């Protein structure tokens, strides 16, 4: 569908990437990954023709349609939600208008025998057949299904788009792209403004998409559930892994280990050459060998090793005062907003009512639910930012650290990034400020930027770092992961897990919440419901088709006990049959052992090849090594089962 050959993109002295060559095929669902600034969004723009590469070609097959959702776009505000979604079917609407005009002409004309009339009949039939083939008559139902899937209520359909926030209008644009059913979908952070239910709806849709999908996302669960292939931009190269995201993570780790071995071998070889040159540089009898070694050194292509992310960095909150046993208690809390402009008898909009909840010291809890159901509203009630009805008590000695999107606006614009953090850091942590900044994508020269030149996302990350260094015992985080990449999210997650205090987290990121929270409060329909357990426990209880966590199936299979065999009769025929089964079992064990030996031998050969610097970046060898290793693990597990069955048979003999 799309063929990319020799692509190179330069914005400065060093190219973002070069010599990128790959093909996007029908039904490919590609996760495009790499650190921030690697060029992911740029590559998407090149694929859809918005930007042009420095060198190389992008060939798109004839009649291939492309749908592109950028992170930021200019939105129109002069229509209703339904009318805006209907724009996706503009071509079909034009076709319907043409069919109606032809139908009127056929009804008005009386020259039934003329060639002109027959030509009109044929044209009408062909156009009508095409209209029905496109399923055009059901497009209104398709619009409704898509809008509801993305979180809109049916009562929203006739509302002007200008009444919605930027996040909801982005959902309308996403709906329009999905409704057009393009052959290739290019999605840049499509989950940024979606809640958990909408994300799950979208990933189920994309997992069965009839065309190709290329997406950029920092939502690990989302891209893993959607992808069947991963393209990584790293070290200025685009590397193709034909596996889903979780498997790519394993392959990348193995590849990096092989790169390191090859890099170390090359460095040793280069050191030996330099040592030889230095020893014999001025010895006439060795002049030829010295020149040969120098030429060899010049021709060497230096092996690059993938950058190491800072996800392994551990960050700990500073010590804080112990709070009371119950930092937050809500008793019959209610919040309603007045509708001053509404002509209806209803004078207020109820957000929630009869909220009764208690959060204990040390608990980590999640607030989840559709956007607009009151998660952030209750947080503002807890912070005392807005009035409410009922009783809401903040416990003894509670020191709140609050992160919301508007926190970024409160930063001092005259300071640099480094100064902003240096002003709040205390003790030994000051020695690690650069490491912390690097973990949140402010490494190198970025730490010297003034706050006033930072983007909204960069300011949010900086506000998050500041919060991590303040001595608080109640953390309230409203969508903390929106502007973080995966390594940064891992740093934040580990810091919160190690946090001694209490945490309330408003988030739609399932992978971030998994293993972090032990209680979920669900907001919906004006009520707040408590669910004991983690986020995946809540999703299963909620009736979603959430896929099992990694290794759940295999672990359950491993835990199944082998059913005892029925007692064997002493009859000659049965004993004969049992001996045959025993021989078959012995043969199966023997064949399995031969397979294992053969695979182990090949792994040794591949290991030797990959230690050679020339083969360090050979993805064919890397893929073969990984495939054989996986097959070996499976075969060893199978051999263990066969051996156990064989022992059982022998004991029954």
């Amino acid at each position: 569908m799309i063929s990319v050959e020799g692509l190179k993109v330069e914005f400065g002295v060093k190219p973002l990437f070069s010599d990128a060559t790959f093909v996007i095929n029908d039904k490919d669902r590609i996760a495009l990954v790499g650190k921030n600034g690697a060029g992911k969004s740029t590559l998407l723009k090149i694929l859809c023709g918005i930007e042009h590469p420095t060198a190389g070609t992008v060939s798109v097959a004839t009649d291939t349609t492309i749908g592109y959702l950028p992170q930021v776009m200019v939105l129109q505000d002069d229509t209703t939600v339904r009318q805006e979604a209907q724009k996706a079917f503009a071509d079909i609407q034009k076709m319907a208008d043409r069919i109606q005009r032809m139908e009127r002409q056929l009804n008005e004309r009386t020259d039934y025998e003329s060639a002109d009339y027959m030509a009109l009949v044929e044209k009408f039939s062909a156009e009508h057949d095409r209209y029905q083939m496109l399923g055009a008559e059901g497009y209104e139902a398709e619009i409704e299904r898509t809008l509801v899937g993305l979180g809109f209520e049916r009562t929203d359909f006739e509302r002007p788009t200008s009444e919605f926030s930027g996040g909801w209008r982005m959902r309308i644009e996403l709906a329009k792209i999905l409704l057009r059913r393009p052959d290739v979908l290019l999605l840049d952070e499509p989950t940024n403004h979606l809640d958990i239910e909408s994300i799950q709806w979208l990933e189920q849709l994309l997992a069965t998409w009839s065309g190709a999908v290329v997406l950029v996302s920092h939502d690990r669960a989302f891209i893993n559930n959607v992808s069947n292939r991963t393209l990584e931009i790293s070290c200025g190269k685009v590397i193709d892994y034909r596996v889903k995201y979780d498997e790519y993570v394993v392959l990348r780790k193995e590849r990096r280990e092989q790169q390191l071995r090859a890099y170390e071998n090359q460095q040793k070889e280069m050191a030996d050459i330099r040592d030889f040159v230095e020893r014999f540089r001025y010895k006439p009898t060795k002049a030829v060998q010295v020149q040969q070694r120098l030429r060899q050194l010049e021709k060497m292509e230096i092996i690059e090793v993938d950058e190491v992310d800072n996800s392994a960095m551990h960050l700990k909150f500073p010590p804080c005062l112990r709070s009371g046993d119950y930092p937050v208690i809500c008793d019959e809390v209610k919040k309603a907003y007045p509708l001053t402009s509404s002509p209806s008898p209803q004078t207020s909009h109820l957000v929630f009512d009869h909220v009764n909840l208690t959060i204990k010291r040390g608990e980590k809890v999640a607030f989840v639910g559709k956007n607009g159901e009151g998660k952030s509203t209750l947080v503002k009630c807890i912070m005392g930012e807005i009035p409410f009805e009922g009783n809401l008590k903040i416990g003894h000695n509670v020191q709140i650290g609050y992160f919301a999107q508007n926190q970024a606006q409160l930063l001092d614009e005259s300071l640099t990034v480094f100064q902003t953090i240096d002003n709040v850091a205390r003790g030994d942590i000051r020695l690690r400020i650069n490491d912390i900044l690097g973990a949140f994508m402010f490494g190198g020269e970025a730490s010297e930027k003034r706050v006033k030149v930072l983007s909204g996302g960069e300011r949010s990350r900086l506000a998050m770092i500041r919060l991590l260094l303040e001595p608080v015992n109640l953390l309230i985080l409203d969508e903390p992961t929106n502007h973080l990449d995966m390594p940064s999210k891992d740093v934040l997650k580990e810091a919160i897990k190690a946090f001694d205090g209490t945490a309330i987290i408003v988030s739609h990121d399932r992978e971030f919440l998994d293993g972090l929270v032990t209680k979920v409060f669900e907001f919906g329909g004006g009520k707040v419901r408590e669910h004991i357990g983690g986020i995946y426990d809540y999703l299963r209880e909620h009736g979603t088709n959430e896929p099992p966590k990694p290794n759940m199936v295999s672990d359950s299979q491993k835990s199944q006990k082998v059913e005892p065999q029925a007692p064997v009769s002493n009859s000659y025929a049965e004993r004969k049959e049992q001996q045959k089964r025993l021989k078959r079992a012995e043969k199966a064990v023997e064949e399995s052992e031969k397979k294992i030996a053969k695979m182990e031998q090949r792994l040794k050969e591949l290991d030797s090849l990959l230690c050679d610097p020339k083969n360090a970046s050979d993805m064919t060898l890397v893929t073969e090594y990984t495939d054989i290793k996986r097959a070996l693990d499976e075969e060893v597990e199978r051999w263990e089962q066969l051996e156990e069955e064989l022992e059982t048979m022998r004991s029954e003999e």
Side-chain angles (χ1 to χ4, degrees):
M1 299 179 84
I2 299 180
S3 176
V4 176
E5 190 170 351
L7 211 62
K8 181 179 183 180
V9 176
E10 287 180 333
F11 287 133
V13 178
K14 189 175 180 181
L16 270 180
F17 49 82
S18 58
D19 197 28
T21 300
F22 57 90
V23 175
I24 300 172
N25 303 300
D26 188 22
K27 296 190 184 301
D28 273 348
R29 297 187 296 279
I30 299 171
L32 184 57
V33 302
K35 69 174 187 176
N36 277 34
K40 303 186 294 293
S41 295
T42 301
L43 183 54
L44 288 186
K45 289 173 184 174
I46 290 170
L47 291 176
C48 69
I50 293 175
E51 291 187 5
H52 300 286
T54 309
T57 57
V58 176
S59 304
V60 182
T62 309
D63 298 330
T64 296
T65 54
I66 297 175
Y68 170 55
L69 179 77
Q71 285 192 46
V72 181
M73 61 171 62
V74 179
L75 304 166
Q76 300 297 320
D77 285 333
D78 55 352
T79 58
T80 66
V81 172
R82 186 191 295 276
Q83 287 168 341
E84 194 64 28
Q86 285 172 340
K87 289 180 181 179
F89 296 97
D91 292 340
I92 289 177
Q93 190 58 53
K94 288 176 184 175
M95 190 187 301
D97 293 341
R98 286 198 302 272
I99 290 170
Q100 286 178 359
R101 282 197 301 272
M102 285 188 282
E103 192 172 12
R104 280 197 303 270
Q105 289 176 32
L106 289 171
N107 289 333
E108 291 167 0
R109 291 174 60 162
T110 56
D111 54 334
Y112 309 122
E113 304 298 327
S114 68
D116 192 31
Y117 187 89
M118 294 307 295
L120 183 60
V121 169
E122 285 182 19
K123 187 177 179 183
F124 173 81
S125 299
E127 196 84 340
H128 190 268
D129 289 346
R130 184 163 167 250
Y131 182 80
Q132 288 190 315
M133 185 181 69
L134 290 170
E137 291 183 345
Y139 78 80
E140 283 293 344
E142 185 67 21
I143 286 173
E144 291 194 8
R145 276 196 299 271
T146 303
L147 289 174
V148 169
L150 289 173
F152 289 92
E153 300 291 341
R154 294 186 191 279
T155 52
D156 294 329
F157 293 174
E158 306 309 324
R159 288 173 59 191
T161 58
S162 56
E163 292 183 5
F164 292 88
S165 66
W168 281 99
R169 281 181 285 171
M170 287 293 284
R171 292 191 193 204
I172 298 170
E173 293 303 311
L174 176 57
K176 285 162 62 178
I177 292 168
L178 296 174
L179 287 166
R180 288 188 189 112
R181 290 273 164 186
D183 299 315
V184 182
L185 270 176
L186 305 176
L187 305 176
D188 199 349
E189 294 290 359
T191 64
N192 264 3
H193 302 286
L194 302 182
D195 50 58
I196 289 178
E197 290 182 356
S198 300
I199 290 172
Q200 289 179 298
W201 177 86
L202 180 60
E203 72 184 23
Q204 287 169 7
L205 177 71
L206 295 181
T208 56
W209 190 258
S210 57
V213 180
V214 183
L215 63 94
V216 175
S217 176
H218 294 315
D219 186 326
R220 188 181 278 110
F222 176 74
I223 61 172
N224 190 57
N225 291 339
V226 171
S227 65
N228 58 17
R229 182 177 166 194
T230 307
L231 284 179
E232 180 195 31
I233 304 179
S234 177
C235 293
K237 302 291 180 186
V238 177
I239 305 143
D240 194 351
Y241 295 82
R242 295 187 172 272
V243 292
K244 64 192 300 183
Y245 181 80
D246 270 0
E247 294 173 44
Y248 145 77
V249 173
V250 176
L251 285 176
R252 187 187 189 279
K253 184 180 177 183
E254 292 175 357
R255 178 176 176 270
R256 190 174 185 282
E257 288 171 356
Q258 289 153 4
Q259 281 181 326
L260 272 173
R261 284 200 297 270
Y263 174 78
E264 288 163 1
N265 289 341
Q266 187 185 58
Q267 291 298 309
K268 184 178 182 304
E269 184 183 358
M270 290 169 70
D272 290 344
I273 291 172
R274 291 191 189 102
D275 183 54
F276 181 90
V277 170
E278 285 302 315
R279 276 191 295 137
F280 300 110
R281 182 185 292 274
Y282 304 108
K283 196 167 185 179
T285 57
K286 296 284 187 179
V288 175
Q289 292 95 319
V290 166
Q291 290 302 314
Q292 286 175 340
R293 297 291 198 285
L294 287 172
R295 281 195 294 273
Q296 184 183 350
L297 201 60
E298 286 172 4
K299 289 178 182 177
M300 273 191 179
E301 192 172 332
I302 305 300
I303 294 170
E304 285 189 87
V305 180
D306 292 346
E307 13 344 41
V308 182
D309 60 40
N310 292 307
S311 58
M313 195 191 96
H314 300 291
L315 184 60
K316 196 167 184 180
F317 284 88
C320 59
L321 286 174
R322 178 188 171 97
S323 73
D325 290 340
Y326 303 101
V328 179
I329 300 174
C330 291
D331 181 20
E332 293 295 313
V333 173
K334 174 183 177 181
K335 178 60 187 175
Y337 287 105
L339 298 175
T340 54
S341 60
S342 174
S344 67
Q346 184 183 354
T347 58
S348 65
H349 166 62
L350 179 68
V351 183
F352 46 69
D353 194 5
H354 302 297
V355 175
N356 295 289
L357 62 85
T358 300
I359 298 175
K360 299 175 185 176
R361 185 183 67 247
E363 280 189 329
K364 274 80 172 180
V365 305
F367 285 2
V368 304
K370 290 184 178 179
N371 291 0
E373 292 289 353
K375 303 184 297 293
S376 297
T377 302
L378 184 56
V379 165
K380 288 174 182 175
C381 293
I382 294 170
M383 292 299 300
E385 293 182 356
I386 56 175
F388 56 87
E389 297 176 45
N391 297 312
L392 197 162
K393 183 181 176 184
I394 302 299
H396 177 65
N397 266 348
V398 169
Q399 297 171 321
I400 300 178
Y402 176 43
F403 175 82
Q405 299 305 317
N406 63 353
Q407 297 300 110
Q409 326 253 310
L410 306 178
L411 298 171
D412 186 340
E413 293 193 340
S414 65
L415 299 178
T416 66
V417 168
F418 185 90
Q419 288 168 340
T420 302
I421 302 308
D422 190 44
N423 286 351
V424 296
R426 298 288 180 270
D428 293 343
I429 201 76
R430 296 190 69 183
L431 302 174
R432 301 173 61 214
I433 290 177
N434 283 325
D435 291 337
I436 296 168
L437 291 174
F440 284 86
M441 299 176 280
F442 286 114
E445 294 178 1
S447 66
E448 296 306 316
K449 283 184 178 179
R450 297 275 172 192
V451 172
K452 62 184 176 185
V453 303
L454 299 181
S455 67
E458 289 172 327
R459 290 188 185 209
S460 291
R461 292 203 305 272
L462 189 58
M464 174 62 69
I465 302 170
R466 262 189 57 164
L467 177 59
L468 291 174
L469 300 180
E470 292 176 357
V472 299
N473 52 31
L474 172 58
L475 272 178
I476 302 179
L477 308 177
D478 195 350
E479 298 293 0
T481 63
N482 268 4
H483 299 286
L484 301 182
D485 64 1
M486 290 183 196
S488 304
K489 284 198 287 189
D490 290 340
V491 172
L492 177 60
K493 182 174 177 177
E494 289 304 315
I496 299 171
K497 283 171 77 172
F499 177 52
D500 293 332
T502 311
I504 299 171
I505 303 159
V506 181
S507 178
H508 58 255
D509 191 321
R510 293 158 292 173
E511 198 68 25
F512 181 74
L513 294 174
D514 183 36
L516 180 58
V517 301
T518 55
K519 189 182 289 184
V520 175
F521 290 100
E522 176 194 3
F523 288 67
K527 303 297 176 188
V528 179
R529 300 169 184 84
E530 181 179 310
H531 300 265
I532 305 297
I535 187 64
Y536 283 103
D537 295 320
Y538 156 73
L539 290 170
R540 282 190 288 273
E541 182 185 333
H542 202 244
T544 59
N545 297 321
E546 188 63 28
K549 294 295 290 169
N551 297 327
M552 281 178 66
V553 175
S554 59
D555 288 346
S556 64
Q557 287 171 344
K558 289 176 187 175
S559 65
Q560 290 174 0
K561 294 181 180 178
V562 178
E563 292 295 324
Q565 299 290 326
V568 180
S569 167
N570 287 327
S571 71
Y572 175 78
E574 287 185 348
R575 283 166 56 202
K576 190 90 171 172
E577 182 60 32
Q578 187 181 22
Q579 286 173 357
K580 284 182 181 177
R581 287 201 304 270
L582 185 63
K583 283 185 179 179
R584 284 198 296 269
E586 287 172 343
K587 187 176 180 183
V589 169
E590 187 181 341
E591 287 176 352
S592 180
E593 287 171 346
K594 286 178 181 177
K595 278 186 183 178
I596 289 169
K598 189 175 179 182
M599 284 190 277
E600 285 176 340
Q601 178 59 35
R602 181 54 182 163
L603 282 179
K604 286 181 184 176
E605 292 169 2
L606 288 170
D607 205 35
S608 300
L609 287 169
L610 288 166
C611 284
D612 188 333
K614 290 184 291 186
N615 301 319
S617 57
D618 189 335
M619 285 308 298
T620 306
L621 293 177
V622 172
T623 303
E624 185 185 357
Y625 183 94
T626 309
D627 289 346
I628 292 176
K629 195 171 186 304
R630 189 186 299 117
L632 177 60
D633 292 340
E634 290 172 359
E635 190 61 38
V636 167
E637 190 173 331
R638 178 172 170 269
W639 175 82
E640 288 172 353
Q641 290 176 346
L642 291 171
E643 187 69 28
E644 189 177 334
E645 289 170 7
L646 181 59
E647 289 302 318
T648 304
M649 286 182 181
R650 283 172 174 162
S651 64
E652 290 172 351
E653 264 286 288

